[in-house]
Amino acid sequence: MKFTALISILFSPFKWLRKIRGFRLVYTPLIAIVLFTVVMGIILGTLHLQEKNQQEAALFRELSFAKQRIQLRFANNLEAFTSINRELAATEDQVKLNKIAFEQAQALALSNHEIIKIISLNQNLQNQWMAPQGSKNSNWIGNTQNSQASTSALNSTVELSKITGRAAFSKFMSLDIPSQDPLAKESSIVFWQVVPNIVGGEAIGYLAVLYSTQGVLDIIPSDLKAHYRFTLLADDERILSISSDRGTPKRSFSNQTSLDIGVLSPNLTLRIDTYPPPTNLTFRMLIGVLLGLSAFVIWSLWSVLKQMQVRQEAEASLRKETSFRNAMENSTPVGIRAHDMDKRITYVNRAFCEMTGWNPEKLIGLKPPFPFWPDARREELSEKMNRALNSEVVSKKGIEGAILRRNGTLIETRTFIAPLINEKGKQTGWVTSLIDISEPKKIREELAASQDRFTTVLEGLDAAVSVVDLETNELLFANRFYRENFGNDSKGHFKLAGDINTIKTLHDIAEDMHESAPSIPASFLYQESESEEIQLSEDGNHWYEVRRRVIPWVDGELAQLQIATDITIRKEAEELARQQEERMQFTSRLTTMGEMASSLAHELNQPLSAISNYCMGVAKRLDGNIDPNLNKEVLPALEKASEQAHRAGTIIQRIRGFVKRSEPQRKTSSIADIINDAVGLVEIEANRHRLSIESNIAANLREVSLDPVLILQVLVNLLKNGLDSMREAYPLSSRWSAPPVKISADLDTNIFPAMLRIRVTDSGGGIAESVIERMFEPFFSTKTDGMGMGLNICRSIIESHHGRLWASNIMDSEHTKLVGCTFTILLPIESSDSIGNA
């Protein structure tokens, strides 16, 4: 110890030298910068101050000179006015003296620009004469619009002069002088000077002189006004006149002085301002070079100083970081230890020593297996540690382990391992941190067991259970049934929530309660809503019975609990029962209609047969017994009436047989004849409504085996439907331009075997998609007086012939509007027997 102290004493001077050297290296550049900046500032400031003092001295001299010139002019004028008054006051040869006085005044007014006019007034203030005469000498008192103000000011000044017995001045007046007047500029602001003519102590007259403030500045020499701007100011800093409108710089020099032009004179102030001086190029170049050199030197010294500061800051930051790391390691409850590449402990902090109960001296240098590991788990912990140290991926979850304290207490730990990399990027060991998880692990195990029991119950339910935060709309909980049917977000919850206004109301209540008192009224919580049936068509038209309740969540925020039970099977059963009931009603109505059709067929056959027999009998009696011309008109009509009555009976028989489910009475027929007969039957009604029918039958169509009466009835029904659609689409006034209802027949060769195709096309407004889907159902009709059996019977007739019947809409060229509808019939060309044999 003594040797160490001696060495320390011997080397202490070198420590002081290093400190002095460090101080010199750090602060010498800073001191140089400060000294150089101060010297340059003193030099520039001295030059600037010297120039400023010279300009201010020159400005004061010129101002004093201008003041003396103005005061001298007013003193000379007063002396001249006094001399004129003496001439006017003389008693001998008055006319001649008055003329001399006038000539003196005339000469004085013409030679002095500041004088606008001179007026001689007697004791009663009557105008004796006025100078000068001519264009300049206007009658300012009587002939201008300023006479009242001028006269009032003159009277006040005369009164003041009369009282004091001295020359007096009036206040400043701003006259409104016409712009075309040559004296407008000089005479805009004026003032009076009244000089009394005192004889024997009494004023026998007055000499009134009108001065112009602009003229006062004309007293100053022109060369002086070329270098400076002079301004006359009143008491209230009002500008009376100015020598030039030329502007002055912002940093110009200025000075002012009071003008004493008389005992009773107004308070006039004369101000002088400097104009920008001519550029001193040499001086500015000198300043520029000086500033440039100064900036370069400062930048150089500043760079050196910054480098030193960066080094000092790095050292200070390193010391601060080291102190912070030591304080953090000693204050944290997390145990920290370091290992070298041989897994030997190289460092431990205070918390790790407290965990193990061992001091640092005994822990540093130990290699696994460590003595603070439990004996029964040493192999397990060694394997975990080796696996973690040899792994290239750092585990964020850590590894669970255990520590046996020196006093025998066992604690559960979680260890996190990270590689220790030096400044060269090379690994030199590992750093491990340990946290005590004994108590949290015990609590977590208990909570996990409780959570498992609760989750098992909810997961086993055949109902969707979901909890949503009312403020953030976040899904807080969802069971298996909810996840399988609605996913892992809250969209399914709000689909089942129903009314959007109710959801918004709950959000507002949650926000109000969050902003107000933290307590939630018990009457609001646990208030279960009535069950509600919700239909969701997006996932296969499912039905759910939904119950809701507002509950406080684990974090104290309001949440909505919702339980949705799938009742789709029950709804489908109810719907199936309803459909069965409707089918029973349809069957009953069809049975009743079949019975009515049979009764009508039986009742109508006899009168139709009688009509046919009567028509034929009348035709035979009239044959050969009437005029041949009349015979050609009457007999064909009677024969057609008999034929139509017979055909009507045949139709009734066919419908009766169809109702009884008998097969059509097929025979080989021409489809062209059937279409022509149908057009002939419907064309009368079409002409009555100003509409037309156009038929287009392909040539060489072979005859087909079918029931012509039933097929004719189908075509008549479809043509009538087309006419009805045209009547709705076109008003009566514009039907002359309406396109015709078209019926066509041809072979459809796009299918095999080829089939007979019949199409009925109209140009009406088309048919709504919802109507097309149900138009062939029994008892469905869009007409107020329709029974809804026409199209159903038509399709049944076509299907009994082993054919097809359907409808399709026609769109315009832009596919934006319905412009018509087409009914298409496909019939087999061969008979059903041949089809069956084939």
Side-chain angles (χ1 to χ4, degrees):
M1 294 296 296
K2 294 181 179 179
F3 179 76
T4 304
L6 180 61
I7 295 298
S8 176
I9 293 172
L10 291 175
F11 283 93
S12 58
F14 295 99
K15 294 182 181 179
W16 283 104
L17 288 175
R18 285 197 299 269
K19 291 183 179 180
I20 294 172
R21 181 185 177 188
F23 177 84
R24 181 172 57 83
L25 290 175
V26 173
Y27 292 102
T28 298
L30 181 61
I31 295 173
I33 291 172
V34 172
L35 291 177
F36 185 81
T37 304
V38 170
V39 171
M40 292 298 102
I42 292 173
I43 293 174
L44 293 177
T46 303
L47 293 175
H48 179 71
L49 183 61
Q50 183 179 3
E51 182 182 7
K52 180 179 178 181
N53 292 334
Q54 291 176 357
Q55 290 181 356
E56 288 180 350
L59 191 69
F60 181 75
R61 288 195 302 269
E62 302 299 345
L63 179 62
S64 300
F65 175 74
K67 177 181 179 181
Q68 292 175 3
R69 287 290 298 268
I70 294 173
Q71 288 177 343
L72 181 61
R73 176 64 64 86
F74 272 90
N76 294 335
N77 290 345
L78 181 60
E79 184 179 352
F81 297 150
T82 304
S83 176
I84 293 173
N85 278 336
R86 284 198 298 266
E87 298 291 339
L88 294 175
T91 57
E92 50 187 42
D93 200 357
Q94 188 67 35
V95 175
K96 182 179 180 180
L97 292 178
N98 283 341
K99 183 179 179 181
I100 294 173
F102 174 75
E103 291 175 352
Q104 292 178 356
Q106 180 86 359
L108 187 62
L110 293 175
S111 61
N112 296 337
H113 291 169
E114 71 275 10
I115 298 175
I116 297 177
K117 59 184 175 180
I118 302 174
I119 302 174
S120 176
L121 303 175
N122 60 13
Q123 189 175 7
N124 297 325
L125 303 182
Q126 294 178 349
N127 190 356
Q128 302 295 322
W129 48 263
M130 181 171 57
Q133 294 181 348
S135 60
K136 181 180 177 182
N137 195 12
S138 303
N139 190 356
W140 297 96
I141 297 178
N143 296 332
T144 65
Q145 58 182 351
N146 305 291
S147 60
Q148 184 177 358
S150 177
T151 304
S152 176
L154 179 59
N155 293 336
S156 300
T157 309
V158 170
E159 187 66 24
L160 179 61
S161 177
K162 182 179 180 181
I163 294 173
T164 58
R166 296 181 178 180
F169 293 86
S170 68
K171 296 181 178 179
F172 299 104
M173 298 176 291
S174 296
L175 301 181
D176 187 9
I177 302 175
S179 59
Q180 64 271 16
D181 194 297
L183 297 180
K185 184 175 181 181
E186 289 99 0
S187 306
S188 58
I189 300 178
V190 298
F191 61 94
W192 289 102
Q193 181 184 20
V194 176
V195 181
N197 193 357
I198 306 298
V199 177
E202 293 184 0
I204 62 172
Y206 301 92
L207 199 63
V209 183
L210 184 63
Y211 281 97
S212 169
T213 56
Q214 188 67 34
V216 173
L217 292 182
D218 291 340
I219 300 174
I220 302 173
S222 300
D223 57 345
L224 195 60
K225 290 189 291 183
H227 293 85
Y228 303 95
R229 185 178 70 179
F230 292 90
T231 306
L232 277 180
L233 303 174
D235 291 342
D236 53 358
E237 298 296 327
R238 180 166 62 99
I239 297 177
L240 302 177
S241 60
I242 189 168
S243 63
S244 175
D245 294 336
R246 181 181 173 187
T248 58
K250 294 182 179 179
R251 297 184 179 180
S252 62
F253 294 101
S254 178
N255 202 342
Q256 63 184 22
T257 183
S258 177
L259 288 177
D260 297 328
I261 57 176
V263 179
L264 300 177
S265 64
N267 293 328
L268 280 174
T269 301
L270 180 63
R271 188 175 69 191
I272 185 172
D273 298 293
T274 60
Y275 289 125
T279 303
N280 191 347
L281 185 60
T282 304
F283 179 74
R284 292 193 175 186
M285 288 180 62
L286 178 61
I287 293 178
V289 171
L290 196 61
L291 291 177
L293 292 175
S294 301
F296 178 76
V297 172
I298 291 173
W299 177 80
S300 302
L301 296 177
W302 184 258
S303 300
V304 175
L305 180 61
K306 290 298 292 182
Q307 292 178 0
M308 298 300 298
Q309 287 181 348
V310 168
R311 180 177 176 181
Q312 286 185 340
E313 288 176 0
E315 294 177 354
S317 177
L318 182 60
R319 289 192 298 269
K320 182 179 179 181
E321 184 178 355
T322 303
S323 301
F324 176 77
R325 189 197 67 178
N326 294 333
M328 181 180 65
E329 291 175 357
N330 293 329
S331 63
T332 181
V334 178
I336 300 175
R337 70 173 186 260
H339 300 263
D340 57 13
M341 295 303 295
D342 296 331
K343 304 176 186 178
R344 186 180 291 103
I345 296 178
T346 59
Y347 170 79
V348 291
N349 69 337
R350 182 186 301 173
F352 185 80
C353 296
E354 293 175 356
M355 283 184 180
T356 59
W358 294 59
N359 54 30
E361 290 77 8
K362 294 185 177 182
L363 289 174
I364 294 177
L366 295 178
K367 296 179 64 177
F370 300 114
F372 48 79
W373 283 350
D375 296 337
R377 300 182 60 182
R378 286 191 177 184
E379 293 183 1
E380 173 194 350
L381 296 177
S382 295
E383 182 179 357
K384 287 183 177 181
M385 182 175 180
N386 293 332
R387 190 185 310 116
L389 294 180
N390 296 328
S391 176
E392 296 180 357
V393 180
V394 179
S395 176
K396 296 182 179 180
K397 296 182 180 180
I399 56 175
E400 291 190 3
I403 287 180
L404 182 64
R405 290 185 174 179
R406 199 166 186 178
N407 58 5
T409 306
L410 183 66
I411 62 174
E412 297 290 337
T413 62
R414 183 178 298 276
T415 305
F416 300 90
I417 300 177
L420 183 61
I421 308 298
N422 62 7
E423 69 278 1
K424 297 180 180 180
K426 183 179 179 181
Q427 182 178 354
T428 59
W430 295 271
V431 175
T432 62
S433 57
L434 292 82
I435 57 175
D436 186 355
I437 60 171
S438 300
E439 193 65 25
K441 187 175 181 180
K442 181 180 179 182
I443 297 174
R444 186 168 61 252
E445 290 175 353
E446 294 177 356
L447 290 176
S450 176
Q451 178 72 15
D452 290 342
R453 292 191 296 270
F454 178 72
T455 304
T456 302
V457 174
L458 292 181
E459 293 291 333
L461 292 178
D462 290 334
V465 180
S466 58
V467 181
V468 171
D469 192 326
L470 288 179
E471 290 189 7
T472 62
N473 296 339
E474 179 186 359
L475 183 65
L476 302 177
F477 174 80
N479 68 340
R480 173 191 55 81
F481 189 90
Y482 180 92
R483 295 192 301 272
E484 291 177 354
N485 292 273
F486 302 102
N488 296 321
D489 52 24
S490 61
K491 294 181 179 179
H493 181 97
F494 290 107
K495 288 180 183 178
L496 298 169
D499 188 8
I500 191 66
N501 294 326
T502 304
I503 299 173
K504 186 177 184 302
T505 302
L506 290 175
H507 285 178
D508 295 340
I509 293 174
E511 291 179 1
D512 294 342
M513 289 187 172
H514 181 73
E515 295 175 358
S516 60
S519 60
I520 303 174
S523 60
F524 178 75
L525 296 177
Y526 308 107
Q527 183 177 0
E528 185 175 354
S529 64
E530 296 182 359
S531 62
E532 181 181 0
E533 294 182 355
I534 302 295
Q535 181 184 15
L536 298 181
S537 58
E538 298 177 359
D539 55 350
N541 198 15
H542 281 195
W543 284 86
Y544 295 91
E545 183 180 9
V546 183
R547 293 180 179 272
R548 307 178 192 87
R549 174 182 291 178
V550 177
I551 61 173
W553 195 238
V554 293
D555 56 357
E557 301 294 337
L558 285 182
Q560 186 185 49
L561 169 66
Q562 184 170 263
I563 302 175
T565 306
D566 191 350
I567 58 172
T568 305
I569 299 177
R570 189 182 76 188
K571 281 291 184 179
E572 290 178 351
E574 293 176 355
E575 180 65 20
L576 182 61
R578 186 186 62 80
Q579 293 177 2
Q580 293 290 348
E581 184 178 355
E582 289 183 357
R583 292 192 186 100
M584 292 177 64
Q585 293 177 1
F586 288 157
T587 303
S588 176
R589 293 169 69 183
L590 287 173
T591 303
T592 304
M593 186 175 180
E595 295 174 355
M596 292 174 60
S598 298
S599 300
L600 288 174
H602 178 73
E603 295 296 333
L604 291 177
N605 272 333
Q606 293 180 358
L608 289 174
S609 298
I611 292 172
S612 178
N613 292 334
Y614 286 143
C615 289
M616 294 302 296
V618 172
K620 289 181 179 181
R621 290 191 178 188
L622 293 178
D623 187 13
N625 297 327
I626 60 175
D627 185 12
N629 295 327
L630 185 61
N631 191 14
K632 292 181 180 179
E633 297 179 358
V634 175
L635 289 179
L638 291 174
E639 290 176 356
K640 287 184 178 180
S642 177
E643 182 183 354
Q644 293 299 324
H646 179 71
R647 192 165 64 83
T650 304
I651 292 173
I652 291 175
Q653 290 296 331
R654 295 288 187 273
I655 295 176
R656 182 180 180 185
F658 175 74
V659 171
K660 291 181 179 180
R661 294 293 182 182
S662 61
E663 289 295 326
Q665 297 181 8
R666 296 176 180 270
K667 65 179 181 178
T668 302
S669 305
S670 173
I671 194 62
D673 296 337
I674 298 174
I675 291 176
N676 291 332
D677 291 342
V679 172
L681 290 174
V682 183
E683 198 168 16
I684 298 174
E685 182 179 357
N687 293 333
R688 184 165 57 87
H689 294 291
R690 300 182 184 179
L691 297 171
S692 60
I693 301 175
E694 178 184 324
S695 61
N696 184 12
I697 303 173
N700 300 325
L701 285 178
R702 57 186 292 187
E703 294 184 345
V704 185
S705 176
L706 46 77
D707 191 331
V709 176
L710 293 179
I711 297 300
L712 177 62
Q713 186 66 24
V714 171
L715 296 180
V716 169
N717 195 353
L718 296 180
L719 288 172
K720 285 185 177 181
N721 286 341
L723 291 175
D724 292 340
S725 179
M726 296 289 291
R727 287 167 54 194
E728 293 178 1
Y730 292 90
L732 185 62
S733 59
S734 62
R735 287 179 188 169
W736 60 271
S737 61
V741 177
K742 298 179 181 179
I743 181 170
S744 63
D746 57 1
L747 286 178
D748 188 358
T749 58
N750 293 326
I751 58 178
F752 181 81
M755 300 183 73
L756 176 65
R757 179 171 58 189
I758 305 172
R759 289 182 287 189
V760 179
T761 304
D762 63 78
S763 300
I767 305 174
E769 293 296 331
S770 60
V771 176
I772 287 182
E773 295 176 356
R774 300 188 58 194
M775 63 190 303
F776 293 104
E777 294 180 4
F779 306 110
F780 178 81
S781 177
T782 58
K783 302 176 182 178
T784 57
D785 55 349
M787 295 181 62
M789 293 301 298
L791 291 176
N792 178 261
I793 293 175
C794 290
R795 173 174 276 187
S796 299
I797 291 172
I798 298 301
E799 290 177 352
S800 68
H801 284 75
H802 303 285
R804 293 173 54 201
L805 170 63
W806 72 89
S808 58
N809 284 318
I810 303 174
M811 306 291 290
D812 60 356
S813 60
E814 298 179 356
H815 298 280
T816 59
K817 183 179 179 182
L818 296 176
V819 294
C821 179
T822 298
F823 283 86
T824 304
I825 301 173
L826 290 180
L827 292 173
I829 298 177
E830 299 179 357
S831 63
S832 60
D833 296 337
S834 61
I835 295 173
N837 295 332

